[in-house]
Amino acid sequence: MLILGIESSCDETAASVVKDHRQILSSVISTQIEEHKKYGGVVPEIASRRHCENILGVTRKALSDAGVTLADIDAVAVTYAPGLIGALLVGVNFAKALAMAAGKPLVPVHHIAGHIATNYLTHPGLEPPYLCLVASGGHSHIIEVLDYTHFHVVGRTRDDAAGECFDKCARAMGFPYPGGVHVDNAAQTGDPKAFRLPHPAVAGNEFDFSFSGLKTAVINMLHHAEQKGETIDRNDLSASLQATISQILTEKTMLAAQALGYKKIALAGGVSANSGVRSTLAAACEKRGYEFFMPEKKLCGDNGAMIACQGSYNFDAGIFADESLNAIATLSMDEI
Ligand code: KG4
Ligand code: ZN
């Protein structure tokens, strides 16, 4: 089975051809980071325009890199939710037109389900059920992956996502957008115990996250230091922030795993590229004798292969869309 996957939910225009669920034949990503960097974050209008300009070329290249034509493809899979609405609409309408013109089935894919599927692309033996921590720029979720197409969200962020916390703190420290990777790099030579940062408490669901208090604490610390004419060591603050976020994500995931009886844990989303999150979660799983899975680094950020992979499982489950498919900016995994 050959699936073409198309992704345009944020600032990456991406397309990929995946064979038999887990074999990546091609993966083309056109990133807009350099352009959004000037504004310190993604400008939705610019993102939509760049997707319009790039999507045809990216898709053509994905097909040619895979050595196939549209005629060889079994279905066109596309991210329809969640994300920036104007950005999503470009991919959805392009995929609809392509599927209709080529007479191929159209498969809708939830972006978070796509991130989870990066683990299938990395680990040939991984099968549901398992518990997955998904941390990205827009989401921080603990999800029960019941089977390939059924999910149950057991914990979510009440405010900012983990990636947003990395990025906003990075910006306050003077790193360019998106700052998560710069914090990661700076943390390598910093002291994670240099600053005591808050672990925000969350009332109610014990598996939910809150990152806005941590973000505010870091930003306030930097402002106060600036007002007093003091300088804060960016490497130490980065290391302390990274350690705190890694601990929060890991603690909640371990809590949920124990309460729900999961011994198989996975990590996904853009923040899964973070060295601290990877090593802290891996160590916690090892300590408890849990199996642990994480995507290879090049699959952590948004890409088309994750959409094609999840699309192939949706295809098997008979999840198809017609020309009425619309993009949805906010859609919980529980609703798909
Ligand atoms: O999944 P993704 O590419 O886009 C969304 O779906 O949101 O995630 C992007 C997020 C950004 O917040 C980015 O800073 C963060 O992932 N990120 C990292 C690292 N690499 C990417 N955060 C911390 N450390 C990293 N190495
Ligand atoms: Zn993403």
Side-chain angles (χ1 to χ4, degrees):
M1 175 166 51
L2 288 179
I3 306 288
L4 171 67
I6 292 170
E7 155 66 34
S8 72
S9 67
C10 190
D11 56 354
E12 260 96 34
T13 319
S16 160
V17 177
V18 167
K19 185 181 174 187
D20 298 339
H21 304 94
R22 301 192 185 203
Q23 191 189 344
I24 302 173
L25 298 188
S26 66
S27 181
V28 181
I29 304 171
S30 166
T31 181
Q32 308 170 1
I33 282 177
E34 283 309 314
E35 192 157 3
H36 297 295
K37 211 178 237 178
K38 289 182 258 175
Y39 307 97
V42 178
V43 182
E45 173 68 20
I46 294 176
S48 308
R49 286 174 186 272
R50 295 298 165 262
H51 287 310
C52 281
E53 289 161 10
N54 296 332
I55 200 156
L56 182 57
V58 164
T59 306
R60 278 205 170 116
K61 184 158 167 37
L63 290 168
S64 72
D65 284 0
V68 301
T69 67
L70 203 48
D72 302 318
I73 295 291
D74 291 295
V76 179
V78 64
T79 308
Y80 73 107
L84 299 171
I85 194 67
L88 284 166
L89 277 167
V90 177
V92 166
N93 283 299
F94 178 80
K96 280 204 279 193
L98 198 64
M100 268 175 80
K104 305 289 178 180
L106 179 67
V107 179
V109 176
H110 191 284
H111 184 77
I112 304 296
H115 273 299
I116 294 170
T118 56
N119 281 292
Y120 302 133
L121 294 166
T122 306
H123 306 282
L126 175 64
E127 284 178 22
Y130 56 90
L131 192 70
C132 190
L133 167 67
V134 185
S136 70
H139 311 271
S140 296
H141 285 344
I142 298 174
I143 298 172
E144 285 185 273
V145 182
L146 304 169
D147 62 32
Y148 286 107
T149 55
H150 289 93
F151 308 90
H152 178 226
V153 181
V154 296
R156 48 164 53 87
T157 183
R158 299 280 179 87
D159 38 58
D160 295 345
E164 205 174 334
C165 184
F166 267 117
D167 293 346
K168 297 268 168 64
C169 294
R171 187 166 157 171
M173 282 188 260
F175 290 119
Y177 173 85
V181 67
H182 299 285
V183 171
D184 197 348
N185 292 338
Q188 303 307 318
T189 50
D191 173 8
K193 294 199 169 75
F195 298 96
R196 275 176 66 90
L197 299 172
H199 282 227
V202 184
N205 184 357
E206 57 179 343
F207 311 138
D208 278 355
F209 303 103
S210 166
F211 288 105
S212 74
L214 173 59
K215 174 191 74 180
T216 307
V218 169
I219 293 173
N220 285 346
M221 186 185 288
L222 287 159
H223 284 169
H224 290 153
E226 197 183 341
Q227 280 165 0
K228 287 194 247 163
E230 295 169 2
T231 48
I232 282 185
D233 188 294
R234 283 208 302 193
N235 295 352
D236 283 348
L237 186 55
S238 293
S240 302
L241 174 66
Q242 180 162 303
T244 306
I245 293 177
S246 303
Q247 282 156 15
I248 295 169
L249 292 172
T250 300
E251 274 163 23
K252 299 277 177 172
T253 308
M254 292 299 102
L255 211 59
Q258 197 181 5
L260 301 166
Y262 283 93
K263 291 187 159 48
K264 214 164 148 182
I265 313 294
L267 172 66
V271 176
S272 66
N274 184 265
S275 61
V277 175
R278 290 169 88 88
S279 61
T280 309
L281 194 57
C285 287
E286 198 185 337
K287 194 173 148 197
R288 291 164 179 79
Y290 296 165
E291 269 188 285
F292 177 58
F293 302 87
M294 57 187 168
E296 62 175 314
K297 281 216 176 172
K298 69 170 197 280
L299 290 172
C300 293
D302 294 344
N303 62 82
M306 67 188 207
I307 303 307
C309 175
Q310 182 58 33
S312 62
Y313 288 108
N314 287 2
F315 184 101
D316 288 348
I319 299 169
F320 297 108
D322 61 18
E323 64 278 5
S324 67
L325 179 68
N326 207 345
I328 307 171
T330 309
L331 181 69
S332 169
M333 293 282 284
D334 287 330
E335 294 169 57
I336 60 173

